[in-house]
Amino acid sequence: MECMAQEPVLFEDILCQMVDMIGPEREKYLTLSDLKGCRLSGNIFNILFNLNKFMAFETRDPFLIRQEREDPTLTEWDRFAHREYIRLSMEEDGEDASNGSGEVWDESLEAPF
């Protein structure tokens, strides 16, 4: 992790996090049935065997996770397109407001004929 400019994480902390994710029936050991019954078992294997996916898991965005839970039928592309649409519409509204206020200012300065 140091080669990726990340602070190393203690194995005890990772183990505690994995046990909390799995929620084993018995506290002293994990069984295969515990892993099979856990919805997050894929994350467990990523934590153990894939450093890149572990880093992605550790730095995940809680707001993005909440959005995924709100509407699980949307794909990542659908969520991206929705965010960009909102961002662009807000930019356009901001430009319209600034243009509109400029027009009002110009009209108030014009002398009557």
Side-chain angles (χ1 to χ4, degrees):
M1 290 183 64
E2 291 173 352
C3 67
M4 298 176 76
Q6 296 290 328
E7 185 177 330
V9 181
L10 295 175
F11 179 74
E12 291 82 16
D13 294 338
I14 296 171
L15 181 62
C16 182
Q17 185 177 15
M18 290 188 310
V19 169
D20 289 343
M21 288 170 60
I22 295 172
E25 293 178 15
R26 297 183 184 174
E27 291 182 19
K28 293 187 178 186
Y29 56 92
L30 302 174
T31 63
L32 182 58
S33 63
D34 290 333
L35 282 174
K36 287 182 177 181
C38 176
R39 294 182 328 184
L40 301 173
S41 59
N43 290 337
I44 300 296
F45 287 104
N46 287 336
I47 289 171
L48 291 173
F49 303 116
N50 191 331
L51 181 60
N52 291 329
K53 289 189 178 183
F54 171 68
M55 295 304 301
F57 180 76
E58 283 293 311
T59 59
R60 64 195 182 277
D61 184 9
F63 298 108
L64 182 62
I65 293 169
R66 190 184 80 225
Q67 284 179 342
E68 289 174 357
R69 288 182 184 159
E70 286 176 358
D71 194 358
T73 60
L74 292 177
T75 63
E76 185 65 32
W77 172 254
D78 293 331
R79 283 188 285 278
F80 169 77
H82 181 70
R83 283 191 310 267
E84 287 299 305
Y85 176 79
I86 290 172
R87 184 182 65 80
L88 290 172
S89 66
M90 289 174 64
E91 283 180 4
E92 187 175 289
D93 289 344
E95 289 174 4
D96 289 344
S98 65
N99 289 342
S101 63
E103 291 171 4
V104 171
W105 179 258
D106 290 339
E107 289 176 340
S108 65
L109 293 177
E110 291 180 8
F113 290 96

